Amino acid sequence: MAKRLSEHLTSLYLGAANRMKPKESRRRIVAYVESYDDVFFWRTLFSEFENDKCYFEVILPSKSSLSKGKKMVLMNRLGQHLGQDMIACVDSDYDYMLQNSNETSRQINNSSFVFQTYTYAIENYQCYAESLHESCVLATLNDRRVVDVEGFIREFSRMIWPLFVWSIWVYRHHCYKHFTITDFCSLVTFHDVNIYHPEYTLEAILRKVNRKIAWLQRQFPQARKTYPLLKDELLGLGVTPETTYLYIQGHALFDNVVVPLLQPVCALLRREREREIKVLAEHDVQRQNELACYQHSQSSIEDVLRKNVGYKKSAPYQRLRCDVEKFLRDMGYSPQENEGAQNSSEIKIYDK
């Protein structure tokens, strides 16, 4: 055969295959993700719901090529065959904010078989502010707080919030050529920070943000009426000034905000721990052994962040959990009761 039968899987086919199994067998639900970098995140989510009735299998959208991305998941043959036994899992990007203003946004926001991160991407979850100190501890094995990284990210978010609303405005009004996502990220990111005076970095960002806002106000005077309405709408979608960082481009946040902030913090914490070992060592052999042991126990902050799961209490993640719970209830399965479900009751459930 020119193509294997497995390449023609549809939700109907998987449903029929599930029905042919013994009644006590667990139902298999195939979850297609954009790339291999996404597998761990979605596996972590779905493992909370697996029980003796159903389980998820997280796979890439194509077995015949290395093609990846949202378009591969949604816009090709696969997107036409989603259903109870075949779902798609994608990053929201700006599609959640665009609220049905283009075809991709409509498909993501309205389909019961498409699950979105609600944050821009998975990297935003990995950079969840409340988990960053723990990430530093895991990377350095030193629990001292040298910088209020959570407070830094909150203040950073407040500063970029007005410009972020402008970024969504230009995309909603098809004027994005004048102010692209790349333009936005270049203004709000940085490559280094003075951890003794992190406010210097924030002040520099604020100056750039204010200059760009003044330019946009002159360029688009018609936004005077629609901008406040859009801001209120975004607040209604759960985007707040303090959490704006969760909705900007994920790679930019990871590579050009959080890592440049945490790298010097971790370097300082490592030096402190090494000095402590040198002072407390009773002789050279003990000093060398302890230093070698400590150095082997360290991890890079990038690797720690990529494995970070400290975002589970965040509002976007709880909303995503609500979507999975609803999906399983509609299929006739009761989601597994766990501690995370208690948190989800505090989050407003939005019907798709």
Side-chain angles (χ1 to χ4, degrees), residues 110-302:
N110 299 324
S111 174
S112 299
F113 308 117
V114 176
F115 295 88
Q116 60 174 311
T117 56
Y118 290 112
T119 61
Y120 188 99
I122 290 171
E123 288 86 353
N124 302 75
Y125 279 122
Q126 295 168 346
C127 298
Y128 184 55
E130 293 182 16
S131 68
L132 294 182
H133 174 69
E134 285 71 20
S135 296
C136 290
V137 174
L138 183 57
T140 66
L141 307 182
N142 188 336
D143 194 23
R144 192 168 83 85
R145 295 178 183 266
V146 296
V147 174
D148 181 8
V149 291
E150 183 179 345
F152 181 98
I153 296 298
R154 282 200 305 268
E155 187 61 27
F156 166 80
S157 288
R158 293 189 194 104
M159 288 180 174
I160 69 173
W161 160 250
L163 190 60
F164 174 76
V165 178
W166 270 108
S167 181
I168 302 301
W169 188 94
V170 296
Y171 274 83
R172 286 273 193 104
H173 292 81
H174 309 288
C175 304
Y176 52 86
K177 292 183 179 179
H178 297 278
F179 184 46
T180 64
I181 293 178
T182 302
D183 296 332
F184 171 80
C185 292
S186 67
L187 291 169
V188 303
T189 57
F190 50 88
H191 299 291
D192 57 71
V193 59
N194 183 341
I195 60 173
Y196 300 104
H197 295 284
E199 68 275 10
Y200 293 167
T201 299
L202 294 175
E203 291 169 1
I205 291 173
L206 183 59
R207 287 193 296 269
K208 292 189 292 183
V209 166
N210 287 338
R211 283 197 298 267
K212 193 62 179 182
I213 289 176
W215 181 86
L216 288 164
Q217 289 173 338
R218 293 192 301 269
Q219 188 75 14
F220 303 106
Q222 67 272 28
R224 182 172 298 179
K225 293 182 178 180
T226 55
Y227 179 93
L229 298 176
L230 175 60
K231 183 170 66 173
D232 291 340
E233 182 181 344
L234 294 179
L235 291 170
L237 291 175
V239 187
T240 67
E242 292 76 16
T243 60
T244 309
Y245 73 99
L246 292 174
Y247 304 94
I248 70 174
Q249 190 178 60
H251 287 299
L253 175 70
F254 189 101
D255 295 330
N256 298 318
V257 175
V258 173
V259 169
L261 172 64
L262 298 187
Q263 276 182 335
V265 171
C266 290
L268 176 60
L269 292 173
R270 290 189 182 102
R271 289 195 299 270
E272 285 185 351
R273 183 66 73 211
E274 289 172 355
R275 283 197 298 268
E276 181 183 78
I277 291 172
K278 292 175 182 178
V279 169
L280 297 177
E282 297 180 359
H283 47 75
D284 286 345
V285 174
Q286 185 183 43
R287 176 177 58 81
Q288 293 173 1
N289 288 341
E290 288 295 326
L291 285 174
C293 180
Y294 174 62
Q295 290 167 358
H296 290 154
S297 301
Q298 298 174 22
S299 302
S300 71
I301 190 61
E302 294 91 337

